[in-house]
Amino acid sequence: MCKRTIGYFVDVNMYSGTSSSDSNVSDSDASVEELVGSHEESEILDDAVEDEDEVIKAIKKERDKKRDHPPVIHCEDFVMDFSFHPFENMLAVGSIVGDVILYKYSNEENSVLQTLELHTKACRDVEFSHDGKTLFSTSKDRSIMLTDVQTGGLIRFYDNSHEVALYCLRVVDENMFATGDDDGEVKIWDLRQKSDKPIFSTKKNEDYISDIVADAAHKFLLCSSGDGSLTTIDLENRKVHMLSEEYEEELTCLGLFRNGTKLLAGSSKGKLYLYNWNEFGLHSDAFPGPKHAINGLIPITENIVVTACEDGILRATHLFPHRHLGVVGQHDMSIENVDICNNGMFIASSSHDNDIKFWNIQYFEDFERVSHKHKKHETKQDLVKHLPSSKVKTADSFFNDLS
């Protein structure tokens, strides 16, 4: 019951609390003023009850609202990485103890399909093959494993694949994949080779390889590093194509936009660097952010990126023209990973609290046309504005149905 309703009941009881035995005036002798007062109190009470009913209706409507995304997955161990299956409603989660757990997800519930005990140390990266039949996983124990998704059986095993712990992996095509380690070395592997040796390796970076992406034509492999530089590898000729200038902050994650004609890099200082294709030596534009490290990013459309930040916030940014759109979702702790499902309906994010949360992002279809850049006085408002997927609800949004 709302405070205003409780107040009305108290006022009514205090006014009419005198018993008939203590009263010196009979009902028949009630004055006209008393009768009018009782009538007004009755109307106020009716209005209060009606207001209470509307509040209850609003609460019930919010509670009974049909779920438009899967519930939270609470993991027992720290989540190092996760990846959506390209066709099925399946999620692979790599844990700090070296296991990979396969989940089946739906809007109603999530369930564990199987647990794969693959690595002796933390499983740092998991990726599905493009056909979804094979699961690739890398580990701090320096091993690479290829697992049959349907049976859980081991397809191929690379032991001591790098001199130091692996950090990331990227499936390039049906035969080729690339890996990067903690010391900045990148290796390219071909599944058609019978030996367990890479077909190419290079070490142009002085710190860990944070992310790897490849274009659809498989011409270039782009590798970001903790030393603040971007290494481009020519896949056709198997040689280093270009090494960018070093930035003062770490380059932490990469994404391709505009049909692969633009490369976007996130940094440890919250900036987004945009590169023109085949001009990877220096960025063409830089977008300032909330000054929190960007740990991951995911392209949503050709114009929109969602960034996963150290402050526990998922933020959406429109790139062409540049404008912050608002908060997509939030965790209580730093967000480490973000990915988008096979049909693009929602994204998922994992945090230091071992939770994987899902966010419905269908509303971004209405954000494709942004006519102007945000003005300076609008920047702070856009950074904190909550989008429909955000779990933070304002009083205005909750009571919209009461007006």
Side-chain angles (χ1 to χ4, degrees):
M1 185 180 296
C2 65
K3 291 182 179 179
R4 185 174 61 173
T5 305
I6 294 175
Y8 289 147
F9 278 121
V10 171
D11 291 340
V12 171
N13 289 334
M14 289 178 63
Y15 187 91
S16 58
T18 308
S19 64
S20 58
S21 58
D22 295 331
S23 177
N24 295 323
V25 182
S26 64
D27 292 340
S28 58
D29 295 331
S31 66
V32 175
E33 289 80 2
E34 289 174 333
L35 291 174
V36 171
S38 298
H39 180 68
E40 290 177 350
E41 290 168 5
S42 178
E43 288 183 346
I44 293 174
L45 184 58
D46 289 341
D47 291 341
V49 173
E50 184 177 350
D51 286 346
E52 179 191 11
D53 289 342
E54 292 301 321
V55 173
I56 292 174
K57 287 178 182 178
I59 294 173
K60 288 182 177 180
K61 183 177 180 180
E62 188 73 18
R63 183 192 63 193
D64 298 335
K65 188 181 296 183
K66 187 177 180 181
R67 177 181 290 275
D68 63 356
H69 60 277
V72 178
I73 296 177
H74 302 286
C75 301
E76 293 184 4
D77 302 302
F78 186 86
V79 177
M80 298 297 295
D81 189 37
F82 69 87
S83 179
F84 280 104
H85 192 278
F87 306 112
E88 301 178 18
N89 291 347
M90 183 188 300
L91 189 72
V93 179
S95 74
I96 196 170
V97 299
D99 297 342
V100 176
I101 302 96
L102 298 180
Y103 290 91
K104 181 180 180 180
Y105 60 85
S106 69
N107 286 353
E108 290 71 37
E109 62 178 0
N110 304 311
S111 59
V112 176
L113 293 175
Q114 56 180 323
T115 299
L116 306 172
E117 298 179 359
L118 300 180
H119 301 279
T120 59
K121 294 183 179 180
C123 178
R124 288 182 164 182
D125 204 332
V126 288
E127 300 286 339
F128 286 100
S129 60
H130 293 169
D131 61 9
K133 296 180 179 179
T134 304
L135 179 70
F136 292 75
S137 60
T138 61
S139 172
K140 190 178 179 181
D141 63 13
R142 299 186 291 154
S143 68
I144 306 170
M145 289 195 179
L146 279 66
T147 306
D148 187 290
V149 174
Q150 185 175 4
T151 66
L154 185 64
I155 298 175
R156 194 159 182 175
F157 174 70
Y158 297 83
D159 192 18
N160 298 323
S161 59
H162 283 244
E163 295 298 321
V164 298
L166 281 82
Y167 194 90
C168 62
L169 177 148
R170 178 65 60 181
V171 177
V172 179
D173 58 26
E174 65 273 12
N175 298 312
M176 195 184 306
F177 69 97
T179 53
D181 66 25
D182 283 353
D183 278 355
E185 185 172 18
V186 177
K187 293 185 178 184
I188 301 175
W189 311 80
D190 194 325
L191 297 175
R192 294 168 294 190
Q193 300 289 324
K194 293 184 179 180
S195 68
D196 291 340
K197 302 297 181 181
I199 60 174
F200 176 80
S201 65
T202 183
K203 189 182 183 304
K204 295 295 183 180
N205 299 99
E206 300 300 323
D207 207 339
Y208 70 103
I209 302 299
S210 57
D211 200 3
I212 302 173
V213 297
D215 62 316
H218 307 150
K219 184 176 182 180
F220 292 122
L221 192 73
L222 304 151
C223 312
S224 58
S225 173
D227 65 9
S229 64
L230 178 70
T231 300
T232 308
I233 299 173
D234 184 336
L235 290 175
E236 294 178 349
N237 300 304
R238 296 181 187 176
K239 65 178 184 179
V240 174
H241 175 67
M242 188 180 299
L243 186 66
S244 77
E245 70 170 26
E246 289 189 11
Y247 296 88
E248 295 182 356
E249 65 259 44
E250 303 172 21
L251 295 184
T252 55
C253 47
L254 300 171
L256 296 176
F257 293 84
R258 288 293 179 96
N259 297 317
T261 62
K262 300 286 185 178
L263 173 71
L264 190 69
S267 80
S268 59
K269 291 187 178 181
K271 290 183 179 179
L272 291 171
Y273 292 100
L274 188 68
Y275 299 82
N276 293 322
W277 193 249
N278 208 6
E279 297 177 5
F280 307 119
L282 182 65
H283 64 275
S284 61
D285 207 349
F287 306 142
K291 297 183 180 180
H292 295 282
I294 299 174
N295 296 328
L297 64 82
I298 191 72
I300 303 302
T301 70
E302 293 299 330
N303 289 320
I304 297 174
V305 61
V306 169
T307 55
C309 299
E310 193 175 40
D311 62 349
I313 303 297
L314 290 165
R315 294 179 174 87
T317 301
H318 195 282
L319 299 176
F320 313 102
H322 177 63
R323 179 168 184 174
H324 295 295
L325 299 178
V327 176
V328 175
Q330 53 283 119
H331 289 258
D332 293 331
M333 304 177 72
S334 174
I335 302 174
E336 295 300 313
N337 305 285
V338 61
D339 198 12
I340 188 168
C341 71
N342 53 67
N343 60 11
M345 183 178 295
F346 46 77
I347 60 174
S349 56
S350 65
S351 173
H352 282 189
D353 56 13
N354 300 351
D355 285 348
I356 299 176
K357 295 183 178 182
F358 297 81
W359 316 91
N360 190 299
I361 56 168
Q362 285 183 296
Y363 57 85
F364 278 123
E365 297 174 359
D366 299 328
F367 283 81
E368 271 303 279
R369 295 183 180 180
V370 175
S371 58
H372 64 282
K373 292 183 179 181
H374 60 297
K375 299 177 182 179
K376 288 185 177 181
H377 70 276
E378 295 176 338
T379 303
K380 292 184 178 180
Q381 296 176 1
D382 288 341
L383 283 172
V384 299
K385 180 174 62 180
H386 291 279
L387 299 173
S389 57
S390 174
K391 293 186 179 300
V392 174
K393 301 295 183 181
T394 64
D396 291 339
S397 66
F398 178 78
F399 288 101
N400 275 343
D401 294 334
L402 298 184
S403 59

